[in-house]
Amino acid sequence: SNKITLNESFWTSLDLPAGRESRKRQQIESLLPLVLAHLPENESSVCVEFCAGGGYLGLAVAALRPAVSVLLLDRNAISLKHAEARADRLGLHNVSILRAELVETVNVNGPGS
């Protein structure tokens, strides 16, 4: 089965948005198997969550894959502050936070021009 199980104390510490807990939890639980499939257990690697916001998905990955360094990247300092507090509450030492803005540059002439 692809069902990933996190204990209830994890979900409590994650402090999901009031009124949206069950929907957020379902979103996280449905995305986790897709991400974890690329991160073998006990194998060190790096996982970056772009536009991480409060970091819910990345923190779940960090909890389930302690050998993986998880980088939460977002432009919103307040969201990242909450993500950092969650990581501390969860006792996760494999999480880094980076405030940055993603900027895409597009070459309108196509590749190689």
Side-chain angles (χ1 to χ4, degrees):
S1 152
N2 274 353
K3 184 77 173 138
I4 308 292
T5 310
L6 288 155
N7 62 33
E8 286 309 311
S9 68
F10 172 85
W11 293 108
T12 303
S13 296
L14 205 54
D15 191 29
L16 295 169
R20 297 186 9 234
E21 298 96 339
S22 121
R23 187 166 151 260
K24 263 287 181 216
R25 183 169 171 166
Q26 286 173 338
Q27 288 173 341
I28 295 162
E29 286 178 329
S30 69
L31 287 169
L32 269 174
L34 302 172
V35 175
L36 295 178
H38 298 280
L39 300 168
E41 283 188 74
N42 305 316
E43 200 175 289
S44 70
S45 56
V46 176
C47 176
V48 179
E49 183 179 6
F50 294 94
C51 306
Y56 302 114
L57 181 60
L59 294 171
V61 169
L64 291 164
R65 294 290 191 267
V68 173
S69 297
V70 176
L71 173 62
L72 304 177
L73 187 143
D74 200 279
R75 69 182 201 168
N76 186 320
I78 295 166
S79 294
L80 290 174
K81 216 177 250 314
H82 290 298
E84 192 168 25
R86 288 182 184 102
D88 289 345
R89 267 199 308 278
L90 289 160
L92 298 173
H93 303 290
N94 56 332
V95 176
S96 302
I97 309 276
L98 176 63
R99 183 176 180 275
E101 188 147 355
L102 292 179
V103 179
E104 182 183 5
T105 56
V106 178
N107 181 342
V108 294
N109 297 316
S113 49

